Amino acid sequence: MKLRILATSAILAAAFILPTQEVVAATPTTQAAGALQYLAGQQQGDGSIGPDALGQTADYALGAKFQGLDPTQLVKAGNSVYAYLSAWVAGSAPCTPVPSARDGNSIGKVVQAVVAGGLTPTNFGTRNLLSDLEGMGGTTGGAYDATTGTFADCASFDPVSGKHNNAVYAQANAILALDAANNPLYPVPVAALQHLRELQHSNGGWPVFGQDSSNSTAMALIALSR
């Protein structure tokens, strides 16, 4: 079966591939099967995985999908990863500096995982996740500001310094989510791509929490290569 490949973060870096490519899902190699078995052992009773529960749970679903598995079958104690993600969405808050905030990074990650599971991002966890990312037609709405091309980075905003510490991931994951959803009502705005380019430092890297990082740079490049 062919699928649109979705970018993950460093936890599943072996699954990185440019998001515009179409490939046939792989049968897990011995190493990948072992890694997925290890991750399955880390899954919690609510369906989540890892200390960074939202991001790592989404990555778990994406890695499984890349290896040709059905991420809806990633279940622990009767709860799938999507039970956890759906509960997170249902209990999430508008864009404020809290861990459960709906911003470009959090909703972007959830949308990618939802698409990987063959579920509907416009009706998940009682919400239209694409609307949570942007207004229809790529207009201001949700986490998106069409005047600046910025997807909000709410959870890691530092009100003291005024810095958006996770802006690159928020921008990249929102772009990748919209690209994966492939919904003409919610396109990837050209201004959003331009803003991501503008976040690049003069040395070529993209920062996270003030420091250039290979992971954030890779995420930016993947989003810009969509």
Side-chain angles (χ1 to χ4, degrees), residues 21-196:
Q21 290 181 296
E22 294 284 336
V23 301
V24 177
T27 299
T29 63
T30 300
Q31 293 85 351
L36 288 168
Q37 183 176 11
Y38 168 78
L39 292 171
Q42 308 307 305
Q43 191 171 9
Q44 305 300 303
D46 63 357
S48 70
I49 185 171
D52 173 24
L54 182 68
Q56 291 181 353
T57 303
D59 286 341
Y60 183 33
L62 292 171
K65 180 67 172 181
F66 181 79
Q67 291 297 331
L69 305 178
D70 180 358
T72 66
Q73 299 304 306
L74 302 176
V75 177
K76 181 69 174 288
N79 289 316
S80 73
V81 294
Y82 294 101
Y84 167 76
L85 293 174
S86 179
W88 188 97
V89 169
S92 62
C95 196
T96 54
V98 295
S100 59
R102 294 190 294 270
D103 65 5
N105 189 47
S106 62
I107 298 301
K109 292 287 292 189
V110 174
V111 167
Q112 292 176 66
V114 166
V115 173
L119 304 175
T120 305
T122 53
N123 184 20
F124 183 80
T126 73
R127 300 195 63 82
N128 178 346
L129 300 180
L130 300 187
S131 174
D132 284 334
L133 282 178
E134 67 178 7
M136 292 182 68
T139 56
T140 295
Y144 183 62
D145 182 349
T147 62
T148 61
T150 304
F151 284 99
D153 163 35
C154 306
S156 59
F157 175 67
D158 184 349
V160 176
S161 67
K163 293 182 178 179
H164 291 268
N165 292 307
N166 212 23
V168 172
Y169 279 99
Q171 201 74 10
N173 274 313
I175 289 169
L176 289 167
L178 293 169
D179 185 56
N182 195 30
N183 186 322
L185 297 179
Y186 299 95
V188 176
V190 173
L193 294 166
Q194 180 57 34
H195 180 69
L196 181 55

